[in-house]
Amino acid sequence: MIFRLLGPLAVTGADGAPVPATGGPKVRALLARLLLDAGRTVPVERLLDGLYGDEPPAGAQGALQAQVSRLRRALPPGVAVEFSAAGYRLAVGDPATDVDVLRFEALAREGARAGAAGDPGRAAGLLREALGLWRGPALADVRDAPFAAGQAARLDALRLDAVEEWAAAELAVGGDPAALVRELERSVREQPLRERLRGLQMRALAEAGRQAEALAVYEEVRTALAEELGADPSPELSAAHLEVLRGGTTVPDRACPPLPAPLTVFVGRERERERLAALVTAARLVTLVGPGGAGKTRLALEVGAGLPGEVRFVDLGAVGGAGPVPGGDGRTGPVSVEVAEAFAAALGVRGAARLETALAGRPVLLIVDNCEHVVAETALLVRRLLAACPGLRMLTTSREALGITGESLLPLGALAPDAAEDLFVRRAAAVRPGFTGHARVAELCAGLDGLPLAVELAAARLRTLSVEELADGLGERFELLSRGDRTAPERHRTLRAVVEWSWSLLEPDERELAARLSVFRGGATAEAVARVCGAGPGPLASLVEKSLVEVRDDGRYRMLETIRAYAAERLPDGDPAIAAHHAYYRELAEAADPELRGPDQLEWLARLDAEDANLRAALRRGTPEDGLRLVAALSPYWWLRGLRGRVAAPVAELLDRVEPTAELGEEYALCVLAAGLREGEHVDRAREFLVARTAPLGQPYTAFLWSTSIGPLEGLRMGDDPWARALGQVGHAHLTSSKALFVEALAGFRALGERWGTATALEGLAAHTAEPLPLLAEALELFESLGVAEDVVDLLHRRAAVHEAAGDAASAAADRARAATTSRRAGLPG
């Protein structure tokens, strides 16, 4: 089944026979719109806009459903309209071959690539096949639908691009010039001022022995350009004129004046490159947004270089100053003169007032780079030009979106870890021949947030520093990466300059918030930002829009570490956000502590997992006494997650700052345990505090942690809460080998819904029953749900012994192998 849109809408069978008509005008328009995205889901809102315009009438959604029903009845077997929450999808066999528009686009794209790769024969064949799919004007009988005009203009522009690529390939392989002249005549009538097309016409005429006519074409175009646009012929057209005068012809390598040529190989971004190419083909305005140094310019140029047709590059990096465009009609407000002049210069137009005339009917892709510092001025000009010039498409790069209706955004962040490492190795080999990698390259690239510019700056330092020195020096990253490409724009020469450029574009309240956000580690929730920084949603949203802060899929706000380090330099000593950060996370830890002994244990563990970096940072803030209280609240979490090794260093620092008192004796003891101490002055003093304590322990885990880490301590009074009682019963059951106490403790833990205590009681009870395996299996499942690797490993070894005693050597070996794998992945000692 073939669906045809390049001409009147038609459906033909595999044998070429037409399939009966598919309904009235509205149904045919719906089919055409779905075919343009065949195989992909089209949102309902986009369908309504495409069929009814920007202001659909009342009841439009019901009418759409009715049209979908009619279309389903009219479609041939094997073709379906599928519905999901995301919208409607037309399911056809293979959209790339069964829909002529999609096949045309694929063939034209592949043909252009073949021509650029130096294979004109293959290019000519592919493009000839692509152009052969056209049977008349695209979407000819659904042009009344609101979506059709823009899509038809886009397809017509692609057809002209393909005609030019095909003509260039035919000339390169020595095709029949007389036939080529005839084929080009129709396109020339449509676009008489399309310079590449007229240049190819001149070359074909010259090859056919019609030099006088070729020279007349040049004069005709030169005069029209001067009179209508105030422009001179392009370098390409002038070169064709010179070749005809000299009696020879050559075929240009590219379809347009060359874009800035890269000096290095493009690395990574395969998925983003494909996505961007698809967006640029489907939408008229696409913006690459991301932080400085993410590689937006390089990706835009890489994609632009692979597209057919005319592509021009507009660099706004050096633009500044604002004022009205000379000759403007005032409809769009003030537009930066320099912005408009930069556009005009890239297009070879004399004066910004002639931009609309120069672009009318001219299919061209403009890559507009570095818009962030003139984003408002650029947005006004872009909107005006796109509205006036149907063949115009734009790909802009910015640290902030333009904010225009219809703008498609592609966020660009860090490179994938393997791509960042590959980039480092490639760039490093250029300055240190023979370099092939190092064990700490992954750590270095992760520390630089995977930002391409930062990775390249670091690789360049291998001339004088080792990878170890670079990785160890990330705490002073701005000084370390202070030498870059001397020819690059100043804002891209050093890592500090990259961030300073973004910082300079912030409003005062945005700078204050950005500096305060540096107190967070690993990101923060919106609630935490509001509580700690005292900021409302407005400035935070603005920092997201300006690529200083990113929003993760889980809703957390996070700064790249490079931006966070720069912002931290601008946070005043004693800023209230520092103390507020400690207070907020101590409050969270204290709220979580009792919840870790109840039915919501997993939910609170996950919440603390997300805040782990912030909780560790909070240890270094606040008074030493506040730090002791935070350690006491977090000790159960660290135990359950096996994190005590990770926090030992900051807890040891806290011990050196604290002057212990009996009032905080238990908290001090928990701090000693968390620091991993087993003997010495701190342990002796903590023991004295605990033995002398007359009140019940405030933290139910204290006695358990002390006994498992250092040894039993007589005389401790446990608290009277149900969890502490059940844990005490487990301990007493072990001492007395009492099955009844294990049963009682298990019932207590089950009533609380607490997993770790339940699993511990099950493990103890298993030693006192004839059928231990079911109890051990349940305990293992609970331990695994908590992620307590040490308990999982111990229990697997114990179950292996039970299997072995029962003569099941295979199950015993499987459990021991599983224990070894778990131990290795968790980094536990052998």
Side-chain angles (χ1 to χ4, degrees):
M1 198 74 62
I2 305 298
F3 293 87
R4 303 185 183 277
L5 297 173
L6 300 177
L9 175 64
V11 184
T12 60
D15 58 356
V19 173
T22 52
K26 285 291 186 184
V27 174
R28 293 172 67 81
L30 172 62
L31 173 60
R33 181 62 191 85
L34 290 171
L35 282 170
L36 289 169
D37 283 295
R40 297 190 295 265
T41 300
V42 183
V44 171
E45 294 79 6
R46 193 178 300 170
L47 282 175
L48 290 173
D49 289 345
L51 296 175
Y52 296 102
D54 293 336
E55 298 182 2
Q61 192 151 354
L64 174 62
Q65 293 172 352
Q67 290 158 23
V68 169
S69 298
R70 295 188 190 100
L71 178 58
R72 284 172 172 154
R73 291 194 295 271
L75 286 173
V79 182
V81 179
E82 300 172 350
F83 177 74
S84 69
Y88 289 97
R89 172 181 178 270
L90 185 67
V92 300
D94 181 1
T97 57
D98 295 351
V99 181
D100 64 350
V101 163
L102 303 182
R103 179 158 178 75
F104 163 73
E105 291 180 2
L107 287 168
R109 189 162 49 245
E110 189 62 27
R113 287 175 181 164
D119 189 354
R122 182 166 179 267
L126 289 167
L127 292 160
R128 189 183 303 112
E129 182 181 355
L131 292 168
L133 295 171
W134 286 73
R135 301 170 296 110
L139 306 171
D141 55 348
V142 294
R143 286 285 178 103
D144 291 338
F147 77 87
Q151 289 288 343
R154 179 182 71 84
L155 292 170
D156 287 340
L158 290 177
R159 178 179 58 79
L160 284 170
D161 292 343
V163 167
E164 290 175 344
E165 296 291 345
W166 168 74
E170 286 287 338
L171 285 169
V173 298
D176 181 0
L180 187 56
V181 169
R182 291 193 297 272
E183 293 291 339
L184 290 174
E185 284 179 354
R186 173 192 165 196
S187 299
V188 166
R189 285 195 298 271
E190 294 177 13
Q191 296 288 340
L193 293 185
R194 188 167 168 123
E195 292 180 76
R196 190 192 184 213
L197 182 66
R198 299 308 296 267
L200 289 165
Q201 182 189 26
M202 290 169 58
R203 289 184 168 95
L205 286 166
E207 286 289 338
R210 298 158 63 179
Q211 279 81 1
E213 293 176 62
L215 294 173
V217 167
Y218 177 78
E219 286 302 318
E220 174 193 337
V221 177
R222 184 186 65 80
T223 301
L225 286 171
E227 292 178 351
E228 297 182 29
L229 304 180
D232 295 324
S234 67
E236 184 179 357
L237 190 63
S238 298
H241 178 236
L242 186 59
E243 290 157 13
V244 174
L245 287 173
R246 290 174 175 172
T249 62
T250 59
V251 181
D253 292 330
R254 281 200 45 80
C256 61
L259 300 173
L263 299 179
T264 54
V265 174
F266 187 77
V267 178
R269 303 285 195 204
E270 287 81 5
R271 183 177 301 175
E272 292 94 336
R273 181 163 43 179
E274 292 177 3
R275 175 67 178 145
L276 182 58
L279 277 175
V280 171
T281 301
R284 296 187 61 209
L285 174 60
V286 179
T287 298
L288 268 176
V289 290
K296 301 183 293 294
T297 302
R298 184 65 190 273
L299 178 60
L301 289 171
E302 192 72 18
V303 168
L307 294 174
E310 184 180 8
V311 182
R312 298 288 182 110
F313 182 73
V314 183
D315 185 4
L316 300 181
V319 167
V325 174
D329 59 9
R331 288 175 300 169
T332 57
V335 179
S336 167
V337 173
E338 291 185 59
V339 170
E341 290 293 347
F343 275 68
L347 292 162
V349 177
R350 294 177 186 168
R354 299 175 181 267
L355 276 172
E356 292 178 38
T357 306
L359 289 168
R362 179 177 178 180
V364 59
L365 170 67
L366 292 185
I367 298 176
V368 187
D369 196 32
N370 294 309
C371 301
E372 56 271 353
H373 62 301
V374 284
V375 66
E377 294 87 350
T378 303
L380 288 169
L381 180 59
V382 166
R383 184 179 65 181
R384 193 186 87 198
L385 293 178
L386 288 173
C389 311
L392 175 64
R393 291 175 293 146
M394 291 203 200
L395 167 57
T396 67
T397 76
S398 180
R399 303 184 193 189
E400 180 180 1
L402 299 188
I404 300 174
T405 301
E407 178 183 24
S408 294
L409 300 180
L410 181 61
L412 198 63
L415 282 169
D418 56 344
E421 294 166 36
D422 184 22
L423 176 64
F424 181 88
V425 171
R426 287 174 181 263
R427 301 298 188 258
V431 300
R432 183 181 286 184
F435 181 84
T436 57
H438 189 278
R440 297 188 69 183
V441 167
E443 173 193 347
L444 175 61
C445 292
L448 293 170
D449 304 304
L451 283 179
L453 179 62
V455 171
E456 290 183 324
L457 289 171
R461 293 307 308 272
L462 279 191
R463 286 191 293 265
T464 54
L465 298 174
S466 67
V467 174
E468 292 95 335
E469 289 170 320
L470 287 169
D472 291 338
L474 284 179
E476 303 295 331
R477 66 186 64 212
F478 296 117
E479 287 67 33
L480 192 69
L481 306 182
S482 59
R483 299 177 186 174
D485 185 347
R486 291 188 180 93
T487 66
E490 186 174 346
R491 64 185 177 280
H492 279 167
R493 289 181 193 170
T494 69
L495 191 61
R496 181 179 295 279
V498 170
V499 186
E500 281 179 343
W501 173 257
S502 294
W503 194 269
S504 69
L505 303 177
L506 299 180
E507 299 296 331
D509 62 332
E510 294 168 349
R511 292 183 190 179
E512 180 181 69
L513 175 57
R516 288 181 170 176
L517 284 172
S518 69
V519 301
F520 293 103
R521 297 298 180 94
T525 63
E527 179 205 1
V529 172
R531 289 271 304 276
V532 172
C533 301
L540 181 59
S542 183
L543 290 178
V544 173
E545 291 169 359
K546 294 182 178 181
S547 301
L548 268 293
V549 173
E550 58 186 17
V551 185
R552 296 296 181 88
D553 291 340
D554 58 3
R556 293 176 64 82
Y557 294 84
R558 176 182 178 272
M559 278 181 160
L560 295 178
E561 183 57 27
T562 295
I563 297 173
R564 195 204 65 78
Y566 183 90
E569 294 179 351
R570 276 139 187 82
L571 184 69
D573 292 337
D575 189 278
I578 299 171
H581 179 272
H582 174 89
Y584 179 84
Y585 285 103
R586 199 181 89 201
E587 180 183 320
L588 174 66
E590 291 172 345
D593 179 26
E595 301 294 344
L596 295 181
R597 298 185 291 277
D600 297 328
Q601 186 178 45
L602 291 182
E603 176 186 334
W604 279 90
L605 282 171
R607 188 170 176 183
L608 293 178
D609 287 343
E611 302 294 0
D612 178 50
N614 278 312
L615 292 166
R616 284 184 281 121
L619 282 176
R620 294 185 167 93
R621 297 174 178 142
T623 66
E625 292 73 23
D626 288 337
L628 289 180
R629 295 183 179 95
L630 179 58
V631 169
L634 287 174
S635 290
Y637 166 65
W638 291 336
W639 166 262
L640 289 172
R641 282 297 196 233
L643 297 176
R644 287 190 296 171
R646 182 188 297 180
V647 300
V651 172
E653 292 175 13
L654 176 61
L655 278 177
D656 292 337
R657 294 190 290 124
V658 75
E659 184 60 41
T661 64
E663 181 185 358
L664 294 175
E666 182 181 0
E667 288 83 353
Y668 175 72
L670 287 166
C671 198
V672 169
L673 295 171
L677 301 181
R678 299 295 177 265
E679 58 185 17
E681 180 183 351
H682 284 302
V683 174
D684 294 340
R685 189 177 297 184
R687 184 183 289 110
E688 291 172 5
F689 282 132
L690 290 177
V691 170
R693 184 184 178 95
T694 58
L697 294 172
Q699 172 55 264
Y701 268 88
T702 301
F704 167 75
L705 292 175
W706 188 277
S707 65
T708 56
S709 301
I710 296 177
L713 195 59
E714 298 296 332
L716 295 181
R717 292 183 59 191
M718 301 289 289
D720 195 36
D721 66 279
W723 190 91
R725 284 200 304 273
L727 185 64
Q729 289 166 343
V730 169
H732 195 51
H734 277 296
L735 291 174
T736 60
S737 298
S738 170
K739 178 178 180 181
L741 280 176
F742 277 123
V743 171
E744 190 175 347
L746 177 60
F749 283 128
R750 286 197 191 279
L752 291 170
E754 197 273 307
R755 290 167 172 76
W756 182 84
T758 302
T760 301
L762 284 166
E763 184 180 9
L765 183 59
H768 299 276
T769 182
E771 295 292 336
L773 288 176
L775 299 180
L776 293 175
E778 184 183 355
L780 182 62
E781 182 179 351
L782 290 170
F783 279 145
E784 287 180 328
S785 73
L786 291 167
V788 284
E790 292 185 37
D791 290 313
V792 169
V793 170
D794 289 343
L795 190 55
L796 283 168
H797 280 297
R798 180 168 177 188
R799 193 170 71 172
V802 173
H803 283 309
E804 211 164 45
D808 188 352
S811 294
D815 274 353
R816 289 199 173 97
R818 185 175 165 190
T821 299
T822 302
S823 181
R824 184 173 60 255
R825 289 177 177 171
L828 299 177

